[in-house]
């Protein structure tokens, strides 16, 4: 599964990584898996970080599949 | 009604944006504009050389457009403009131009205020300040979220 990170998450984990996930898992399970593999990003992944699939924000209960591309957004800010 | 939002990778001239809007608003009674500038100092007083705004290839422009359209729908305005920089912005350079025109001033003031409150918390950018002391990420403050909440 391809995972994209932005902002401070990209700085600590990288812009794009590929991870092996079970056939299907929830976004919260994916967050836990990433936090284990990337301890530096553990806090960053939890606090106000949104997950997107297909450019749409998804809930932590959303089921992602191994072919999905998931993006994690730290808090955004313009102006 | 004319609503325009633009993402700029290079410097832009707010006075030219305002001049164009004033020309387009010749049948209105009011134009209100806001220009945001990159500050030369961080909140804790450290010198800042530049602000770096990372953006998303698809969702950043869409977020600007959505905010502009919702301002136009919410207030009695005839024109809404948003111009937002991305990339490296030197201290003192404009980051954002947000403006509205209306028949009477109140709607234009409110629309510009609303545009900025939403841009601060919902425009899809990730900002960091860079200076002699290093780099630090800037995220919305509780005050920014509270300002956004005024419109709910």
């Amino acid at each position: 599964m391809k995972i994209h990170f932005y902002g401070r998450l990209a700085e600590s984990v990288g812009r794009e990584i590929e991870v092996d996930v079970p056939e299907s898992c929830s976004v919260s399970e994916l967050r836990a898996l990433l936090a284990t593999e990337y301890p530096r990003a553990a806090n960053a992944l939890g606090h106000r970080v949104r997950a997107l699939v297909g450019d749409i924000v998804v809930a932590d209960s959303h089921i992602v599949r191994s072919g999905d591309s998931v993006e994690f957004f730290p808090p955004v800010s313009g102006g | 009604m004319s609503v325009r939002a633009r993402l700029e990778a290079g410097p832009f001239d707010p006075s030219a944006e305002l001049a164009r809007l004033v020309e387009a608003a010749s049948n209105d009674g009011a134009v209100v504009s806001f220009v945001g500038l990159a500050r030369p100092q961080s909140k804790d007083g450290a010198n800042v050389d530049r602000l770096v705004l990372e953006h998303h290839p698809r969702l950043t422009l869409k977020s600007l457009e959505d905010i502009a359209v919702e301002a136009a729908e919410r207030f009695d305005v005839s024109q809404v403009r948003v111009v937002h920089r991305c990339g490296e912005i030197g201290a003192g350079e404009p980051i954002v131009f947000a403006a509205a025109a209306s028949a009477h001033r109140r709607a234009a003031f409110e629309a510009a205020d609303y545009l900025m409150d939403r841009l601060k918390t919902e425009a899809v950018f990730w900002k960091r300040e860079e200076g002699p002391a290093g780099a630090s990420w800037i995220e919305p403050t509780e005050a920014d979220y509270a300002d956004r909440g005024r419109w709910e």
Side-chain angles (χ1 to χ4, degrees), chain A residues 6-8 10-11 15 47-48 50 52 55-56 71-79, chain B residues 54 56 58-59 84 95-96 119-127 137 139-140 142 145:
Chain A
Y6 296 88
R8 58 182 162 77
E11 190 177 67
R15 290 202 176 279
H47 183 64
R48 276 191 157 147
R50 292 180 295 170
L52 288 85
D55 289 352
I56 305 288
E71 299 179 289
F72 282 98
F73 279 21
V76 298
S77 177
Chain B
E54 289 186 15
H56 187 278
R58 297 174 301 280
L59 296 180
H84 208 299
I95 305 168
V96 61
L119 288 167
K120 291 295 281 187
T121 52
E122 294 173 59
V124 179
F125 293 98
W126 297 277
K127 291 194 290 200
W137 292 96
E139 293 183 351
E142 289 308 316
Y145 288 122

Side-chain angles (χ1 to χ4, degrees), chain B residues 10 40 55 135 151:
Chain B
H55 72 286
W151 304 101

Side-chain angles (χ1 to χ4, degrees), chain A:
Chain A
M1 176 182 287
K2 280 206 169 96
I3 314 279
H4 301 264
F5 297 104
Y6 296 88
R8 58 182 162 77
L9 279 172
E11 190 177 67
S12 56
V13 185
R15 290 202 176 279
E16 184 185 316
I17 61 167
E18 189 122 16
V19 293
D20 289 326
V21 295
E23 182 59 25
S24 66
C25 71
S26 68
V27 167
S28 58
E29 288 167 338
L30 178 61
R31 284 180 195 266
L33 185 150
L34 290 169
T36 305
E37 289 195 24
Y38 300 92
R40 284 178 62 197
N43 288 336
L45 271 165
H47 183 64
R48 276 191 157 147
V49 171
R50 292 180 295 170
L52 288 85
V53 177
D55 289 352
I56 305 288
V57 176
V58 294
D60 273 6
S61 57
H62 182 87
I63 301 297
V64 290
R65 305 190 186 279
S66 51
D68 282 345
S69 180
V70 183
E71 299 179 289
F72 282 98
F73 279 21
V76 298
S77 177

Side-chain angles (χ1 to χ4, degrees), chain B residues 83-151:
Chain B
V83 181
H84 208 299
R85 277 290 308 272
C86 61
E88 287 193 12
I89 301 154
E93 283 183 29
I95 305 168
V96 61
F97 173 84
S102 57
H104 302 284
R105 71 182 184 282
R106 185 69 57 208
F109 270 119
E110 288 185 340
D113 199 13
Y114 172 88
L115 284 170
M116 283 314 304
D117 283 344
R118 292 209 48 201
L119 288 167
K120 291 295 281 187
T121 52
E122 294 173 59
V124 179
F125 293 98
W126 297 277
K127 291 194 290 200
R128 67 175 188 273
E129 290 175 337
E130 295 183 349
S136 62
W137 292 96
I138 310 298
E139 293 183 351
T141 62
E142 289 308 316
D144 290 330
Y145 288 122
D147 286 344
R148 167 67 184 91
R150 293 184 302 144
W151 304 101

